[in-house]
Amino acid sequence: MSLRLRIILLFVGLAIVPLLTLAAFSYWQSQSLLTGAVYAHLGETAGGLRGHLEVRSSEIEDALRAWGRSGLTEQGLGGGEQDVDLGAASDPWLRRAEFLEVSGPLASSPSLLGAIPDTPVRVTGQGTSTLLEFAVALPESEGGTSVRAAFWASDLLPAVDRASKHTVALLDAASGRVLFTQTAGTPMAGECGEVFPGFSEAMAGAANPSGEFKFKDQGESRFGAVEYLPHRGWAVVATSSSGAALASLNRLVAAYWAFVLGLALFTGLAFYIFLGRFTKSL
């Protein structure tokens, strides 16, 4: 092996290879940090919706208990569908119910206030949703009244921040059926009434403290975070397209690699010229 070839190999091993290795490590580290930040943001979105839904659910059940204790069935409800204006109810949450069903010792048969919608899915600016049902039963000492109410999920959950580019969904944790979905980014295939495309991965993520999971939807990788409500049987998921989440990193990486390769090429060329002059004098 000639002296010139040895010097070239030594230069590549001591200069070019460490430079490229450092560039690859920097990319991996940046991707890891950005992915962690994406998961953390998704977790905040899912956690916020879970807390909001728990508060709303508790308020609704308290309102139903108070309504049951008020002895509404004493007003002569004889069963069947009643022409009652729910907008006149005193509690603001009961005014938003699609229907309420009352049963108990004072009613000859269950009485339906309002009407069950003909369409099981509603589409609004708040998202696509199905009905969520709540039920309370009072003990005999308090009248024995049972009240069941239904609300559109979009009426209970806040709008998603458009800047987040997240897609959120409320799932039936037993079947994976989508109860509510709203997107501020790339939409998913699963619609209301259908099974969430990443249901098995989401349930596996729910078993982890972080709630993080990853799945594919129509061939596209997506990041996700899940918050489970075991006493309700619901799961709140927030997802984001991995391409959209890592777009800024990919642009940065393209510029970074162009700089690294340009620097390596310039350094190699300068070394080659220097080497040619050095070996010429030998």
Side-chain angles (χ1 to χ4, degrees), residues 88-107:
S90 60
D91 188 275
W93 278 114
L94 298 186
R95 291 198 295 268
R96 302 177 74 172
E98 280 298 304
F99 69 85
L100 293 95
E101 185 180 61
V102 185
S103 60
L106 299 178

Side-chain angles (χ1 to χ4, degrees), residues 13 27 66 69 82 100 114 148 181 183 186 195 198 200 256 273 282:
Y27 169 73
R69 294 189 182 100
Q82 304 296 318
L100 293 95
R148 183 171 68 98
T181 182
T183 181
T186 306
V195 176
S200 59
Y256 181 67
I273 294 174
L282 295 179

Side-chain angles (χ1 to χ4, degrees), residues 21 26 45 63 67 71 84-85 90 115-116 121-122 127 130 132 171 181-182 194 201 216 223 227 229 238 254 265:
T21 302
S26 298
T45 299
W67 201 50
V84 177
D85 181 14
S90 60
I116 298 177
V121 177
R122 186 177 74 167
T130 58
L132 301 181
L171 312 179
T181 182
Q182 184 184 46
E194 299 178 357
E201 293 87 347
K216 282 188 176 293
F223 299 127
E227 288 284 345
L229 291 81
L265 180 62

Side-chain angles (χ1 to χ4, degrees), residues 137-253:
L138 301 181
E140 293 294 333
S141 61
E142 298 183 10
T145 304
S146 297
V147 184
R148 183 171 68 98
F151 299 79
W152 291 109
S154 56
D155 290 339
L156 306 183
L157 292 166
V160 180
D161 182 10
R162 292 291 175 181
S164 69
K165 296 184 178 180
H166 291 171
T167 295
V168 299
L170 179 65
L171 312 179
D172 182 326
S175 65
R177 187 170 62 92
V178 178
L179 304 175
F180 167 81
T181 182
Q182 184 184 46
T183 181
T186 306
M188 296 182 303
E191 298 293 341
C192 275
E194 299 178 357
V195 176
F196 180 69
F199 175 62
S200 59
E201 293 87 347
M203 289 299 96
N208 299 324
S210 64
E212 301 172 0
F213 66 98
K214 191 174 182 179
F215 68 103
K216 282 188 176 293
D217 178 38
Q218 297 179 318
E220 179 190 40
S221 294
R222 298 185 72 95
F223 299 127
V226 59
E227 288 284 345
Y228 185 41
L229 291 81
H231 57 293
R232 302 285 179 189
W234 299 333
V236 180
V237 298
T239 74
S240 176
S241 167
S242 60
L246 300 179
S248 59
L249 176 63
N250 292 333
R251 290 192 296 268
L252 179 63
V253 166

